Amino acid sequence: MNAIAERPRLSYPSLAPLRTILAAGGWANALILLGMGAGPLLVLIGLQPDTASNLGLMLSAVFTMFWAMLAGARLIALTVHAARLRLPHTGRQALLCGLAAAVLVVLVPALIMTMATGGGFALAAAALAAATALGLFWVSMPPWMMWVLIASGVAARWLPGSLDDATARAWLGSPLFIAALAALLFAASASCWWWIARRPRPQGTWSTPMALALPADGRGSLEQAQQANWNSPLFALDTPIGSALHREPQQALAIALGPGFGRGTLRNVLATQGPIVAVALFWLLLGNTTGGRGHIGLAFAPLMVLSTAFAPMIRLQTLFWRPALGLHELALLPGLPARPAPSLAAQLGRQAIVRSLPALAVMAGFGLAVDAPRGYYLMLGWTCAGSLFLMSGATLLSLRSRPGRWACAALVVALILGLMATMLATMRGDPPSWLHTAWSLVLIAGVLLQGAALARLRALPHPWLQN
């Protein structure tokens, strides 16, 4: 009787690629929605339609690139593991997922932005396609190719002739040129996939693309895969324990927390800051300017500094989100500090500061190399300090709350928008005084959040146990 009364579940195989794309994007799907609304929001706050269209398209392209890095890595890993297991119709499913991504991430946002801001549909679609291709290429290429790109930039600077600003703006505003660039990036990603398919499974750290760095065999739970990611040579750097660890409880806590918290050895510092130095060199070799108003890399300088400082915060959130990674066992280890709550907050702050200071020096040196405006240096330090304190306090305050973690993610997106808008205003000359006041308020809010989070952790029976 129950079997007759129960309604059969409807299955729509044609919607499988759409569901796969949405599942692969995860929380990053919100970036696509935010990118679609950036242009209309800029129009509502009073910007000129042309300015709002261009700035909104640039922000949407940045968000789309990050989406492609996350969702693309997951889809590439899924396809590679399915091919290794010889599952049927793997190639067809990958092609359908690619078509669904082109519609959801490129065509639909380009159409919405065109209708809202009055810009060109061809330029918007080409720019979003190029951003998607760049994100896919970044997670598909082997890490050693980064040095090839830097060497290619050096060789390009030695070529005869130069590209003036008018020609560069004309090329960047040409949908045909940007579409050709997107096709070239897609072809480069396809060549990387062909190279991955022909390589044997055991690969070194510098030969394993970022998309395949998570699980090496495609088996195991999410917790096991994430722990394998943290234990890979890309993250788990040299952390010497020493013989007197029982007399150094702070160091014991740092090592027990895992990658991102251990000893700050010279090798760790060089490995952490290596990508920042490589990006700065790559920017210098490209020589990209924005109409004489400064290098475009200046707008992303605070994001580069904070990207290294956020690693301990991400690790701490991961431990509280997935306690099976060893959070509960951490309370049973001997030799930890007697006051765990202040020690946990101190470790997070110490690691964030130690990681951010060298990157801040690199970005300041980059500013000197490209003759940045005088206000750039003060604004760089002020924005990084305010963002760092605010995110550290928000992280400590949201460790035991799932809605708090989503609020942290929303705060990160808001900080990214605020940082880029602030640095773009700084590149035009002296920033308005209210920007300094705004970031001072952000810094004060971060300090207050730190105090509130520490008081909340002290009130708990244990900072990282649920009972």
Side-chain angles (χ1 to χ4, degrees):
M1 186 67 180
N2 293 335
I4 298 176
E6 183 179 358
R7 292 184 177 181
R9 296 183 60 183
L10 297 178
S11 177
Y12 302 96
S14 59
L15 297 180
L18 177 61
R19 293 195 298 266
T20 303
I21 290 296
L22 295 177
W27 63 267
N29 294 329
L31 295 178
I32 303 299
L33 298 177
L34 187 62
M36 286 190 293
L41 181 62
L42 294 175
V43 172
L44 289 177
I45 63 177
L47 291 182
Q48 295 295 329
D50 293 340
T51 305
S53 177
N54 295 332
L55 186 56
L57 180 57
M58 184 182 70
L59 292 175
S60 181
V62 172
F63 294 149
T64 302
M65 182 188 66
F66 282 113
W67 181 92
M69 291 174 63
L70 178 64
R74 292 174 175 174
L75 291 173
I76 292 170
L78 178 65
T79 303
V80 170
H81 297 319
R84 288 175 178 175
L85 294 174
R86 301 183 183 276
L87 297 180
H89 310 300
T90 300
R92 186 178 67 181
Q93 292 298 323
L95 180 59
L96 291 176
C97 288
L99 294 176
V103 173
L104 291 178
V105 182
V106 177
L107 297 180
V108 172
L111 181 61
I112 292 176
M113 286 189 294
T114 301
M115 295 173 60
T117 61
F121 174 77
L123 179 61
L128 295 182
T132 305
L134 181 59
L136 284 176
F137 177 68
W138 184 257
V139 298
S140 301
M141 71 176 187
W144 55 261
M145 191 174 289
M146 176 179 62
W147 305 109
V148 176
L149 296 177
I150 293 177
S152 301
V154 174
R157 296 294 293 269
W158 290 344
L159 294 176
S162 60
L163 187 65
D164 57 356
D165 293 339
T167 305
R169 286 194 296 269
W171 284 10
L172 293 177
S174 172
L176 183 61
F177 174 77
I178 297 179
L181 181 62
L184 181 62
L185 290 171
F186 276 122
S189 300
S191 65
C192 292
W193 303 333
W194 175 82
W195 180 78
I196 291 171
R198 293 183 61 87
R199 293 275 296 178
R201 292 192 185 184
Q203 300 178 13
T205 301
W206 288 96
S207 298
T208 303
M210 191 182 302
L212 301 181
L214 186 58
D217 55 359
R219 298 191 299 269
S221 64
L222 178 61
E223 289 84 358
Q224 293 171 345
Q226 195 164 13
Q227 189 62 40
N229 184 24
W230 283 111
N231 291 335
S232 68
L234 290 174
F235 294 95
L237 303 176
D238 183 22
T239 308
I241 295 178
S243 58
L245 196 60
H246 62 282
R247 292 195 295 267
E248 299 181 13
Q250 284 287 349
Q251 187 183 129
L253 177 62
I255 294 175
L257 286 172
F261 284 92
R263 266 181 170 181
T265 62
L266 180 61
R267 178 186 174 186
N268 288 0
V269 173
L270 293 178
T272 302
Q273 305 301 326
I276 306 297
V277 176
V279 169
L281 291 176
F282 190 61
W283 284 346
L284 288 175
L285 294 173
L286 287 179
N288 188 16
T289 58
T290 55
R293 291 176 297 179
H295 199 288
I296 189 60
L298 299 177
F300 298 94
L303 300 182
M304 298 303 301
V305 175
L306 295 175
S307 64
T308 60
F310 281 172
M313 303 178 194
I314 295 174
R315 170 64 178 179
L316 200 59
Q317 287 279 21
T318 303
L319 285 175
F320 277 79
W321 183 31
R322 300 288 183 183
L325 295 178
L327 181 64
H328 293 166
E329 289 80 355
L330 176 61
L332 305 177
L333 294 177
L336 296 183
R339 302 172 61 197
S343 299
L344 186 65
Q347 278 296 333
L348 181 63
R350 182 181 297 112
Q351 292 295 332
I353 293 174
V354 168
R355 284 171 167 262
S356 62
L357 286 180
L360 190 64
V362 171
M363 289 295 108
F366 170 73
L368 289 174
V370 299
D371 195 18
R374 183 181 302 178
Y376 162 78
Y377 305 98
L378 178 61
M379 192 58 71
L380 176 66
W382 213 241
T383 55
C384 289
S387 302
L388 196 59
F389 273 92
L390 186 63
M391 280 308 305
S392 178
T395 299
L396 290 173
L397 196 61
S398 64
L399 288 176
R400 303 286 291 269
S401 170
R402 182 180 293 272
R405 298 189 191 105
W406 287 107
C408 268
L411 183 60
V412 168
V413 174
L415 283 176
I416 290 175
L417 293 175
L419 287 169
M420 292 190 64
T422 299
M423 299 311 293
L424 286 173
T426 304
M427 289 166 56
R428 299 175 182 270
D430 292 333
S433 58
W434 65 266
L435 274 179
H436 295 280
T437 304
W439 284 105
S440 299
L441 294 177
V442 170
L443 180 60
I444 294 173
V447 174
L448 294 178
L449 279 179
Q450 289 269 8
L454 187 57
R456 184 172 182 271
L457 288 177
R458 284 174 173 170
L460 296 174
H462 199 281
W464 54 78
L465 291 182
Q466 298 296 329
N467 49 17

